[in-house]
Amino acid sequence: MVAPVFACAVALAGLSAWVAAGAAGGPARVAVGDGRVFLPYGGKAETAAFFRITNSGESGDTLLSVGSPVADDVMLSRTVERAGNVESMRMVDSAAVPARSVLRMAPEGLDVMLRPRRPLRVGDEVPFVLRFRHAGDVRVRAVVVRPGS
């Protein structure tokens, strides 16, 4: 009867020391900033948005989806290069945000495609909700800018 109690006590002490030393890791700590939306041009209704996602936590997280109450067809996409130096976009279901890292969305990589319900003007702010597996919903605004700025 003493052996199982002793074994449990030793295991509990070991786990407590592991957690106290920080070896167990901590949660993801996600912050979203630098939101930009390109002003649509050339008669197109669709455009792209970009964010800087910082995870200062000790655990990775995953961006699951992005939405906006003022846009339709909001989705994550990634620009990929195909044979012959041709770029194309493909929709992606999610994006990893590793621990202690920064994910910078850009026209040449990961972005958010959207179709605003009303015309946008430079300087407008567009609300977004980014949904993460562990961090949950993060609400942020992105400023409308001219492409290339």
Side-chain angles (χ1 to χ4, degrees):
M1 182 78 152
V2 174
V5 172
F6 179 72
C8 286
V10 169
L12 182 60
L15 284 173
S16 296
W18 185 54
V19 170
R29 286 195 303 269
V30 173
V32 180
D34 293 339
R36 299 174 292 131
V37 176
F38 280 171
L39 182 69
Y41 64 94
K44 295 181 181 179
E46 296 80 18
T47 190
F50 311 92
F51 301 94
R52 180 182 37 81
I53 302 170
T54 303
N55 181 356
S56 60
E58 298 175 17
S59 298
D61 208 337
T62 304
L63 176 60
L64 300 173
S65 65
V66 180
S68 175
V70 300
D72 294 317
D73 301 326
V74 182
M75 61 195 91
L76 288 169
S77 71
R78 184 175 300 280
T79 301
V80 293
E81 190 171 317
R82 297 180 187 252
N85 203 23
V86 176
E87 290 185 345
S88 67
M89 290 190 323
R90 67 178 169 92
M91 299 309 123
V92 294
D93 294 329
S94 62
V97 186
R100 296 184 207 100
S101 71
V102 177
L103 172 63
R104 287 182 176 85
M105 294 184 177
E108 305 81 28
L110 183 70
D111 62 24
V112 177
M113 298 303 299
L114 66 142
R115 187 167 24 110
R117 293 185 188 137
R118 63 173 178 76
L120 299 176
R121 294 186 313 256
V122 171
D124 285 351
E125 290 189 353
V126 179
F128 286 90
V129 178
L130 284 72
R131 175 162 287 149
F132 295 88
R133 176 169 285 126
H134 301 294
D137 290 355
V138 176
R139 297 182 187 287
V140 65
R141 293 187 169 271
V143 176
V144 177
V145 298
R146 294 190 189 284
S149 58

